[in-house]
Amino acid sequence: EIRETATIKDMVNLSMPTPGPELLPAANLHTALLQTIRQEKPEYLRYTMNQGEQRLRRQIARLALHWGGTVEEEDVVITNGCMEALSLCLRAVASPGDTIVTQSPTFYGILQTIQYMDMKVLELPTNPMTGLCIDKLENALKRRKIAACLLVNSFNNPLGSCMPDDKKKSLVGLLARHEVPLIEDDIYGELYFGDHRPRPAKYYDKKGLVLHCSSFSKTLAPGFRVGWTFPGRYRDKIMRIKYMNSIAANALLQQTLAQYLETNRYERHLKKLRVTIAAQMMQTLKAISQYFPPDVYVTHPEGGMSLWLQLPAHIDSYVLYRQALENKIHITPGIIFSTQKEKYTNYIRISCAESVNERQQQALAWLGDQIKKQG
């Protein structure tokens, strides 16, 4: 319901952590698309490889050099977005009835995917700054059988937490000792505001137990639905599952992205996008400080697109969501970021993916007034 209402026309969108079209390199992508279509031999009309287009896999492997990765094109499997990558990885490492560790709170799509596969979710506490509490994970590994962990270590949605690199190294080492796979959702890893990209857990993987997943949906072309995974020792199994699931990803869009990436425009675009998103987040934080009561706690992430707000304890965020909807304002209530209904009832997520224009300023002012009235 909440996902569908976000698409209502003329809605002030304060909920979707996806950059608007004005922030994306539409003209350059259009040029790459036309160049692909104009090929003398249009290869995109054929079935593509199950593993994905070689040109695109080569470019994605090259992108891993930015965080120190030594990934070969044969290590890459192209998927239909990051969600398919996560789904394939889950099916490769776990079975119905198995327990999967996640952060709390975490993206509702992750929770839904795990539950749809008849697996159990074990939510562990997550620090708003440094990510999953590793001591809690260590205790869980001693107490019960864990099939895998599925974590967003860099700029978790909705918290925006980013696990420090040394802590990621400890996490990978802990799971390696227990032979527990880590499915790593790194979809926000490129959206850092500092000088250096946070290294993914995959950087520290020595045993092929980290299944790294990402896509271009948050940085380049959400509508293309092109993602990937570096699945380590599970590559062949994932390719078999993918063949039965969807055979392959869209050939035309894969070749278009390969054409675009080969021009070396992506990094220039990312630099501009990071500056813009960081500025929009600061504008949103300023508006929250101006319009919301002082007892509202808000995170201050160093990357990503989301802010996580803790409202006064008596405020029901789902009721606030319904009230906002009637006023053409869309927010995300906290209850959907956990499988436990009593958790996060007084929390909301606000996205900073779109510029803070006059309508958004008015929407944030209205939200602040509603919270004050309910106080």
Side-chain angles (χ1 to χ4, degrees):
E1 172 207 336
I2 292 164
R3 181 81 179 188
E4 288 177 358
T5 53
T7 62
I8 296 174
K9 192 176 180 181
D10 296 328
M11 189 72 64
V12 180
N13 192 339
L14 299 176
S15 63
M16 297 294 286
T18 304
E22 71 280 1
L23 300 183
L24 302 174
N28 289 333
L29 286 170
H30 185 234
T31 298
L33 178 62
L34 290 177
Q35 289 172 337
T36 302
I37 292 173
R38 288 169 179 165
Q39 294 177 93
E40 184 178 348
K41 296 180 180 179
E43 292 296 322
Y44 63 84
L45 294 177
R46 304 176 183 271
Y47 278 121
T48 188
M49 294 174 60
N50 171 234
Q51 190 172 353
E53 290 286 333
Q54 185 178 24
R55 285 173 63 200
L56 181 57
R57 288 189 285 114
R58 184 181 302 124
Q59 291 302 314
I60 290 171
R62 183 180 61 83
L63 291 176
L65 294 172
H66 295 166
W67 47 261
T70 54
V71 179
E72 304 293 334
E73 61 190 63
E74 289 305 310
D75 300 326
V76 184
V77 178
I78 304 297
T79 62
N80 294 293
C82 190
M83 285 306 299
E84 188 192 38
L86 297 177
S87 176
L88 292 172
C89 291
L90 275 170
R91 291 169 66 183
V93 303
S95 303
D98 285 348
T99 298
I100 310 297
V101 165
T102 67
Q103 293 142 306
S104 184
T106 198
F107 173 51
Y108 53 84
I110 288 174
L111 301 174
Q112 289 175 308
T113 300
I114 295 170
Q115 292 185 308
Y116 180 75
M117 294 183 179
D118 291 324
M119 299 173 189
K120 299 173 184 175
V121 176
L122 176 60
E123 300 178 37
L124 294 183
T126 304
N127 184 286
M129 294 298 295
T130 60
L132 186 80
C133 298
I134 293 184
D135 57 337
K136 301 292 185 183
L137 174 60
E138 191 167 11
N139 290 336
L141 289 167
K142 292 175 182 176
R143 293 196 322 267
R144 58 195 295 179
K145 181 174 175 55
I146 305 295
C149 296
L150 201 171
L151 307 176
V152 187
N153 289 319
S154 295
F155 315 121
N156 164 286
N157 170 14
L159 268 183
S161 61
C162 185
M163 185 180 286
D165 289 350
D166 58 345
K167 193 175 175 183
K168 288 175 186 165
K169 184 177 181 180
S170 299
L171 170 68
V172 173
L174 171 64
L175 293 175
R177 290 193 295 275
H178 288 267
E179 285 289 317
V180 172
L182 167 61
I183 302 170
E184 176 181 40
D185 181 349
D186 195 47
I187 197 167
Y188 294 102
E190 293 289 354
L191 293 175
Y192 58 95
F193 302 154
D195 295 330
H196 303 288
R197 188 202 196 282
R199 281 178 169 160
K202 185 67 177 178
Y203 176 82
Y204 303 101
D205 182 29
K206 307 300 182 186
K207 301 178 73 172
L209 279 168
V210 177
L211 300 87
H212 178 95
C213 303
S214 192
S215 83
F216 294 111
S217 294
K218 304 298 182 184
T219 58
L220 192 59
F224 278 25
R225 306 303 303 135
V226 174
W228 65 87
T229 178
F230 309 148
R233 65 168 75 169
Y234 301 97
R235 187 197 67 170
D236 292 345
K237 186 173 183 180
I238 279 178
M239 286 173 60
R240 290 195 297 272
I241 297 170
K242 176 161 180 56
Y243 181 79
M244 299 306 297
N245 192 61
S246 61
I247 300 180
N250 184 293
L252 174 60
L253 299 181
Q254 286 187 70
Q255 291 175 30
T256 297
L257 286 171
Q259 179 75 29
Y260 172 82
L261 293 169
E262 286 166 357
T263 64
N264 296 313
R265 293 172 175 151
Y266 187 45
E267 188 54 39
R268 292 200 298 272
H269 159 66
L270 282 176
K271 287 178 180 178
K272 183 178 178 181
L273 181 63
R274 291 180 197 121
V275 170
T276 303
I277 296 295
Q280 290 174 183
M281 186 172 286
M282 289 304 297
Q283 286 179 297
T284 307
L285 285 167
K286 183 178 178 181
I288 290 170
S289 174
Q290 180 179 352
Y291 300 124
F292 284 51
D295 54 350
V296 170
Y297 171 79
V298 59
T299 54
H300 287 68
E302 296 180 359
M305 298 183 182
S306 299
L307 297 175
W308 185 237
L309 283 69
Q310 181 181 358
L311 311 180
H314 62 276
I315 292 181
D316 186 326
S317 64
Y318 182 73
V319 172
L320 182 63
Y321 152 78
R322 296 298 306 180
Q323 293 169 339
L325 205 59
E326 292 174 1
N327 286 270
K328 293 286 188 177
I329 300 168
H330 201 277
I331 59 173
T332 313
I335 54 170
I336 64 173
F337 296 97
S338 173
T339 59
Q340 302 171 44
K341 290 183 179 180
E342 72 278 6
K343 271 194 167 185
Y344 312 124
T345 56
N346 61 314
Y347 288 76
I348 60 172
R349 184 191 70 185
I350 287 181
S351 166
C352 304
E354 297 190 17
S355 58
V356 184
N357 55 34
E358 185 177 348
R359 284 191 74 206
Q360 288 190 305
Q361 285 276 358
Q362 292 171 352
L364 289 166
W366 182 91
L367 281 171
D369 285 342
Q370 286 298 114
I371 295 167
K372 291 173 183 174
K373 287 176 183 176
Q374 296 179 29

